[in-house]
Amino acid sequence: MIAAHEAAVSYLEWVSRELGFDREDRFLQLASLGFGASVRQLFTPLTAGATGCPAPPGLARDPATLVDFVDEARITVFNSVPTVWRRLLDGLDDRDEAGRPATLAALRHVLIGGEILPAPLVRRWLDRFGDRHRLVNLYGGAETMFNALFHRVTARPDAHRVHVPVGRPRPGVEVLLVDQTGRATAPGETGELLLGGPHLALGYLDAPAATAAAWVERPEGRFFRTGDLARYDEAGDLVVLGRSDSQVKIRGNRVELGEVEAALRAVPGVADAVVAVIDGPGRQTLVAWILPTSPAVAPGPGLLRESLARQLPAYMIPHRFVTVESWPQNANGKVDRRELAHRLPPRSADAAGPPPATPTEHILAAAWQAVLGLEEVGIDDDFFALGGDSLLALDLLGRLRGSLPVLPRPITLHQERTIRRQAQAIDALAAATEADAEAAAPPGFSIPGAGARSEGAGGAPDATAPAAVDAVYVLSP
């Protein structure tokens, strides 16, 4: 990153003046020296005549050690990302349970930035400490010379609020919200957040193409494209909703991942959520990782789907829900989304129900596992809740052809959504078809394939056994 010395000095003078730092303050320094935030964390205490306290390696990953260091080093300014702040709270809870509560008596300022700040996390802090600290949500990166926007949290966020505002620009920063065509959005509309002003960075070192894509010249001046979607709330504060590049297309439907994450964070018992698309053989899977407020109250997949169904269309509801105890972090302390995908456990039904018992249930279970990419399913699992859709239902019928004496109509798979009920419908149809065939046959005439079906090893139906009836149907659009 290339930036002017004057821009850094302007920021450092502003932040010390605005937030009231003085020589008595002690700053926790967590940022790696290879990360842009280290400039802010190194020089802010120096310009205020305060003390910088470099964190030992790995401190941000261990809640217990983090609490001990903040408490014993008498840190007065805690500045980090929400992921690390949550670990501090977790460590405080652990200390309470161990009978060694930590008061963090010296702490005065809590400055959070780098990621969207979930309102439940703020409520959790304020419920513990009240208004004892100056809590500020900061927004901006090295491209805008750090914190371009800021919001002082002076009250507990309402229960309906999902995200905490990033507030308003610091002096010298200009804000624009634009649509996909680059036109300014109307009041109340969501748009991409652009930041301008005299103290923008000059560009990326030796990367002219990336610089040209990120900084744009407009009639209003030169602006940095943040890539974040934002809107103004009823109080006139900016609220960041997610990334503009997090919109994906799944089976022809546009899905805004940030919108799904926001809806999940509003579910009781959910502290935070990450949603991503995982590419698999022949299909894409929408996966949601859930960090519960407490392992004891972690909401199950059924409750999550039910809650999301009241807010989102069916195609935006994740196919899988994975509960985690903590987020993996990258070098900058943020949630490592790639690592989450690498740690994705093998697929299985959300709640293992009774296993298949009848021959038809065994055939259906094998077909479900192949189509949905699951290692196991229960006979009371819901095909569509496990990620099935209309196209996969047709794939299911294709796999069943030749393995069953009759095939159900596609509408049956939508009406009877579990293996148990599908098997009952198929067996009833097979019995009715066989009875009709026997009634129509001349005396002494046998129907090939009627009666007992051939069985393979282990008593499972032989998929190569001749079928008595092959159902033929026409699909209408």
Side-chain angles (χ1 to χ4, degrees):
M1 188 72 63
I2 308 172
H5 180 269
E6 179 186 4
V9 171
S10 174
Y11 166 78
L12 292 169
E13 290 177 345
W14 168 81
V15 72
S16 292
R17 181 177 63 252
E18 179 66 32
L19 300 183
F21 301 141
D22 59 39
R23 60 187 306 165
E24 302 300 323
D25 280 315
R26 297 172 61 83
F27 286 68
L28 175 64
Q29 296 175 327
L30 285 169
S32 164
L33 291 179
F35 183 43
S38 65
V39 176
R40 180 184 70 241
Q41 292 194 6
L42 280 172
F43 289 102
T44 301
L46 295 180
T47 56
T51 302
C53 303
L59 179 74
R61 300 177 185 275
D62 185 348
T65 307
L66 180 60
V67 171
D68 290 344
F69 187 86
V70 172
D71 203 26
E72 295 169 7
R74 295 179 292 111
I75 297 298
T76 66
V77 182
F78 180 91
N79 183 5
S80 190
V81 296
T83 303
V84 177
W85 192 35
R86 178 179 287 107
R87 284 200 171 95
L88 181 67
L89 271 166
D90 291 342
L92 289 168
D93 290 344
D94 292 343
R95 287 274 292 263
D96 289 346
E97 292 179 5
R100 298 187 307 112
T103 61
L104 307 184
L107 190 62
R108 296 200 306 137
H109 303 272
V110 177
L111 314 178
I112 306 299
E115 297 171 325
I116 290 178
L117 178 56
L121 190 57
V122 175
R123 289 193 286 267
R124 184 179 168 193
W125 180 270
L126 294 179
D127 288 345
R128 170 182 279 271
F129 290 109
D131 59 358
R132 208 181 88 188
H133 311 108
R134 180 173 292 179
L135 177 57
V136 183
N137 189 23
L138 300 168
Y139 176 90
E143 294 88 348
T144 59
M145 197 42 64
F146 313 121
N147 310 133
L149 306 169
F150 70 105
H151 174 73
R152 296 177 184 272
V153 180
T154 57
R156 189 180 190 274
D158 295 335
H160 72 274
R161 185 177 284 279
V162 177
H163 296 145
V164 176
V166 293
R168 307 188 183 197
R170 66 181 173 90
V173 174
E174 299 175 33
V175 174
L176 278 179
L177 296 181
V178 299
D179 61 20
Q180 292 181 337
T181 68
R183 295 178 181 176
T185 59
E189 290 185 349
T190 298
E192 183 185 358
L193 176 59
L194 273 56
L195 296 174
H199 299 311
L200 290 179
L202 304 178
Y204 299 118
L205 180 64
D206 296 331
T211 297
W215 282 268
V216 294
E217 293 289 346
R218 296 177 54 89
E220 304 91 339
R222 182 170 178 264
F223 284 81
F224 172 68
R225 298 185 59 185
T226 67
D228 286 331
L229 296 174
R231 62 171 174 78
Y232 287 98
D233 66 11
E234 60 280 1
D237 290 315
L238 276 166
V239 179
V240 172
L241 305 175
R243 296 289 298 169
S244 61
D245 54 8
S246 70
Q247 188 181 82
V248 297
K249 204 167 187 179
I250 299 180
R251 303 184 194 113
N253 297 304
R254 294 190 181 277
V255 176
E256 173 55 61
L257 301 181
E259 187 176 350
V260 182
E261 291 175 352
L264 283 167
R265 293 186 186 110
V267 177
V270 175
D272 201 4
V274 170
V275 178
V277 176
I278 303 298
D279 293 319
R283 69 191 300 259
Q284 293 178 307
T285 302
L286 192 62
V287 179
W289 288 267
I290 304 299
L291 182 68
T293 54
S294 166
V297 296
L303 174 61
L304 293 169
R305 290 191 180 98
E306 182 181 341
S307 299
L308 293 181
R310 293 194 289 266
Q311 306 175 60
L312 303 174
Y315 62 82
M316 292 181 69
I317 296 177
H319 307 125
R320 293 190 64 187
F321 296 92
V322 181
T323 300
V324 298
E325 295 181 356
S326 62
W327 296 127
Q329 287 181 247
N330 58 24
N332 299 330
K334 299 181 181 181
V335 177
D336 192 333
R337 292 172 178 256
R338 291 185 180 180
E339 182 63 22
L340 274 177
H342 290 156
R343 295 184 186 180
L344 191 64
R347 290 202 62 177
S348 62
D350 293 321
T358 70
T360 304
E361 288 176 356
H362 277 286
I363 294 174
L364 281 167
W368 274 40
Q369 291 167 352
V371 169
L372 296 175
L374 291 167
E375 292 192 346
E376 60 176 316
V377 291
I379 61 173
D380 293 323
D381 293 318
D382 186 305
F383 179 79
F384 295 92
L386 294 180
D389 56 28
S390 298
L391 293 178
L392 290 177
L394 294 179
D395 289 346
L396 180 64
L397 286 174
R399 286 186 174 273
L400 293 174
R401 185 181 298 276
S403 299
L404 294 170
V406 294
L407 284 180
R409 293 174 59 84
I411 188 63
T412 302
L413 299 185
H414 288 264
Q415 295 172 337
E416 312 297 349
R417 302 161 70 102
T418 67
I419 289 176
R420 184 195 300 272
R421 297 190 57 117
Q422 288 177 3
Q424 291 172 349
I426 290 169
D427 289 343
L429 179 61
T433 302
E434 183 175 320
D436 291 344
E438 290 178 346
F445 184 81
S446 64
I447 305 297
R453 284 180 286 177
S454 301
E455 292 186 348
D462 186 352
T464 63
V469 179
D470 187 15
V472 178
Y473 43 79
V474 178
L475 298 177
S476 58

